[in-house]
Structure formats: structure tokens, C-alpha cells
Amino acid sequence: MLNIRILGSGNAGQVPVWGCDCAACERAKQDDTFRRGPCSLEIRTELGVTLIDAGIPNLAERYEFDEIQRIILTHFHMDHVQGLFHLRWSERPEKIPVFRPDDQKGTDDLYKHAGVLDFQPAFIPFETIQFDDFSITPLPLLHSKITLGYVIEKNGFTLAYLTDTVGLPETSQAFLANKTLDYLILDCSEPPTSTAPRNHNDINLALLAYHTLQPKIMMLTHISHRLDCWLMEHGDSLPDNMLIAKDGMTVI
């Protein structure tokens, strides 16, 4: 069993953005299905739940302690780790392993006061880790903090989860080019821009990745209200197998 679900599909500002009255934010205020929380992924197997990133602030309300098998972090920006600050105070004797990139600073005092969070030695890029229920391979991404994407594989199924990034390093792109990707879930925060964004993909870079890597299905995530506004007018111009992530959406 391998069930994968989008927990959050938004960028740091989320949707609706506080104080904004753009078309996308107004739509989200009226219809909760268009709200976007912090970008994150849930992998559920017969052994439990693996979370990729922990930016959702109410994780303690969503999951029982014994459900969470492990947490895997892409990077230490606050919108990807803020949920950990509540979880760590549990007084259970058991520990929850937290896998991470090689960022010696982390965020705030998480390393110093980890509580039930058991931070593991840093992942080594391109070194595949075989868990009991699936394998995962970390890939370097291009972001303002040390950031990893992940290739998840089980029984011939391959999914790449790549957020936050602007384009891809050559080494990561070459690695992915040798894979048959059933799903590519890719950061795309912005509508088409004349110059490449600083930290996140726009539609132009997402389309470049789509044509280069040729996944069977591509899903855009880490979406801003600016991109949502563009999609409201131009979404039908995207390829048929390029989907837009929504909070709670089942991938497989």
C-alpha cells in the first residue's frame, strides 16, 4: 500500500493572503476548497505516515502520535517546519525520526530543544535510503537555503517531489532524466515572468521541466495567489496531464 496525498499546496503567504482582495483570495474566502496551506505531502503505508515537511501548524490535531512513522524535511524555512514546534513538546518516551538536509543552522532552536524529535544525520544527495515501506533518494535543489527534493520509489512506481526550487541543478536533472517518472510534483509559485524568479519556478520553468523530463503526470504545487489569478484565466492552456495541486488532493 502506498497512498500519497497533498497536505498543503500553497507558498509561505498561503491563499487567501491576509488583507488581499484579489480574485483568487476572494474565491478562497468564499470556497474553502480553494484555500492553500503550507506546501507539504503525506505518504501513508501499512506501517504508518511519513510527512514530507511540517509547515501545517495543526499537525498535532490531524495525527495521533503513533501514526507518524517519520518526518522528512526539504529545508528549514519556517513555512516548512513550523508544525514541529508544537509536536516536539510531547512527553511520550518514544521518538519520531526527522530526516533532513545538511543545514547546520536549522531553524530557531529546533536542534537545541528537539524534544520527541530525533534529528537524524543529514541526508547525502543521490544516496538512496531504503525504508521498510519505500525507498527515497534526496536530490539537491536551487533555493536560498540548503534544500532537497525527493524521489520516492516502490514496486516500479516512481514519484519526484521537488519544492522549493528555481530550475534544477544539472546533476539532479540528469538523475531524473534516467528515471521513468509516474508523477512529478514541482514547485511553481509564479505566473509566466519575463525574467526567472529568484527562489521559485514560474510557469515557463515548469513547462521547461515538463518537456525535458516528460513525466506521465505533472502536478504543480507551492502555488501563490498570483499564480492562482493567472490560472483562473489561462489554466486551460496547460498540457492535459499537468495538474494543479489542491489541499487534500489524493495523488495515488
Side-chain angles (χ1 to χ4, degrees), residues 33-45:
T33 64
F34 290 103
R35 287 181 174 266
R36 299 190 184 279
C39 191
S40 49
L41 195 72
E42 174 196 273
I43 304 170
R44 186 179 290 272
T45 73

Side-chain angles (χ1 to χ4, degrees), residues 226-247:
R226 295 176 295 276
L227 179 56
D228 264 339
C229 284
W230 184 87
L231 289 168
M232 291 171 75
E233 295 187 11
H234 306 286
D236 58 359
S237 66
L238 297 177
D240 289 341
N241 59 340
M242 183 179 287
L243 310 179
I244 308 302
K246 297 183 74 171
D247 290 21

Side-chain angles (χ1 to χ4, degrees), residues 34-181:
F34 290 103
R35 287 181 174 266
R36 299 190 184 279
C39 191
S40 49
L41 195 72
E42 174 196 273
I43 304 170
R44 186 179 290 272
T45 73
E46 62 276 7
L47 299 180
V49 168
T50 297
L51 300 178
I52 298 189
D53 284 336
I56 302 289
N58 65 344
L59 292 174
E61 299 172 21
R62 292 178 179 231
Y63 299 100
E64 296 296 328
F65 186 98
D66 294 330
E67 277 188 277
I68 299 180
Q69 188 179 12
R70 65 182 71 90
I71 298 169
I72 297 171
L73 300 178
T74 60
H75 65 301
F76 280 91
H77 275 150
M78 188 61 74
D79 57 312
H80 293 259
V81 301
Q82 60 193 351
L84 297 179
F85 285 87
H86 188 189
L87 297 185
R88 65 175 171 173
W89 297 114
S90 172
E91 296 182 0
R92 290 280 292 267
E94 304 92 337
K95 299 287 187 178
I96 297 175
V98 181
F99 298 86
R100 61 185 179 87
D102 189 11
D103 185 331
Q104 299 303 311
K105 292 183 178 180
T107 300
D108 196 58
D109 65 352
L110 274 176
Y111 285 158
K112 185 177 180 180
H113 300 292
V116 298
L117 306 176
D118 184 15
F119 285 97
Q120 303 294 301
F123 272 144
I124 299 172
F126 304 109
E127 186 172 292
T128 299
I129 306 298
Q130 183 65 58
F131 296 129
D132 290 338
D133 40 3
F134 59 87
S135 69
I136 190 163
T137 307
L139 307 180
L141 298 180
L142 297 172
H143 198 50
S144 58
K145 254 189 174 294
I146 298 169
T147 304
L148 295 174
Y150 296 105
V151 175
I152 298 150
E153 296 177 281
K154 182 175 183 177
N155 297 334
F157 171 83
T158 304
L159 178 147
Y161 185 73
L162 310 178
T163 185
D164 299 14
T165 191
V166 54
L168 293 173
E170 290 183 6
T171 51
S172 297
Q173 183 163 305
F175 181 91
L176 291 166
N178 288 319
K179 296 284 185 180
T180 299
L181 296 176

